[in-house]
Amino acid sequence: AYEECPLPMLDIGFDEDLLFEQHIGYDKLQDRITFAIRDYKGQLVGISGRACSNSSSLRYKVYDSEFSEVVRDYKPDNRRHLYGFDDFYAERYLDLDSDMPPGIIVEGYKGRLWMVQNGWRHTAALQGSSLTKPQERVMNRVRGPWLIFLDNEPGKAFPDKEGRCAAITIARRVA
């Protein structure tokens, strides 16, 4: 999956070196952009495949150890992990530098990649708009502060009222 560069990602402005470094690939057989999901230690736990065209096939796929077969009916527990957190976990866990930049939390894969491409490498994605308990536990193992930037899409289920906005709820849980 990593041998092919996903041209649609280049077309919208992503840097090819960044895509390679972040293990973003392209699955030719399924016509999907692939994102490696890793735990906080960097171990591969799954691959999320995003359809390049309108597709009714499964959103998430996991491949065998040689990345040649799709495991049928697998439903990964990707919400246990923060996408990209492994890139800076050890640094935030071990470093006592008081000048460390804030950690940044965004919703999705592309949001994280845009932040990293623009120099904010201490960015992780929730893979959704809410923080799960396992994600909260791993975030609370490292030093903050945290900045939370969630999408502002029409139709979100969170009204902008004190205590009900997802970003405010997440900020309170990792304060």
Side-chain angles (χ1 to χ4, degrees):
Y2 305 132
E3 292 176 4
E4 295 282 330
C5 183
L7 296 179
M9 297 288 279
L10 294 177
D11 293 344
I12 61 173
F14 283 107
D15 179 72
E16 187 171 358
D17 291 336
L18 172 75
L19 297 177
F20 179 76
E21 172 189 299
Q22 296 294 312
H23 302 132
I24 310 303
Y26 178 68
D27 176 354
K28 290 187 283 189
L29 296 174
Q30 304 287 326
D31 190 27
R32 294 177 145 336
I33 297 168
T34 59
F35 302 87
I37 309 296
R38 298 182 184 281
D39 65 11
Y40 69 96
K41 295 182 262 184
Q43 296 175 319
L44 184 66
V45 295
I47 293 179
S48 175
R50 298 294 180 143
C52 289
S53 57
N54 293 336
S55 173
S56 61
S57 63
L58 292 173
R59 182 174 171 183
Y60 297 105
K61 296 179 181 290
V62 172
Y63 300 81
D64 69 11
S65 61
E66 296 176 13
F67 297 97
S68 59
E69 288 276 328
V70 172
V71 179
R72 302 273 177 229
D73 299 321
Y74 178 81
K75 293 184 177 36
D77 192 4
N78 65 313
R79 295 295 317 277
R80 294 185 58 78
H81 310 286
L82 291 158
Y83 175 68
F85 195 66
D86 60 295
D87 283 353
F88 59 89
Y89 170 79
E91 185 178 344
R92 291 192 86 80
Y93 183 79
L94 298 172
D95 195 344
L96 300 176
D97 181 7
S98 61
D99 291 333
M100 183 176 293
I104 299 172
I105 297 297
V106 297
E107 281 189 36
Y109 307 121
K110 288 180 185 176
R112 179 190 180 269
L113 291 171
W114 283 124
M115 296 296 287
V116 171
Q117 182 165 300
N118 285 288
W120 298 95
R121 66 179 195 81
H122 284 228
T123 301
L126 296 171
Q127 303 179 80
S129 60
S130 62
L131 181 71
T132 66
K133 287 288 186 188
Q135 290 171 333
E136 178 182 352
R137 280 191 293 275
V138 76
M139 279 181 69
N140 284 326
R141 290 183 188 167
V142 300
R143 294 189 40 229
W146 292 99
L147 301 176
I148 292 108
F149 296 114
L150 302 184
D151 298 349
N152 188 19
E153 300 171 358
K156 287 277 183 184
F158 303 103
D160 259 350
K161 293 182 181 172
E162 181 65 25
R164 300 215 42 216
C165 174
I168 291 171
T169 302
I170 291 168
R172 287 181 178 149
R173 289 172 58 191
V174 296

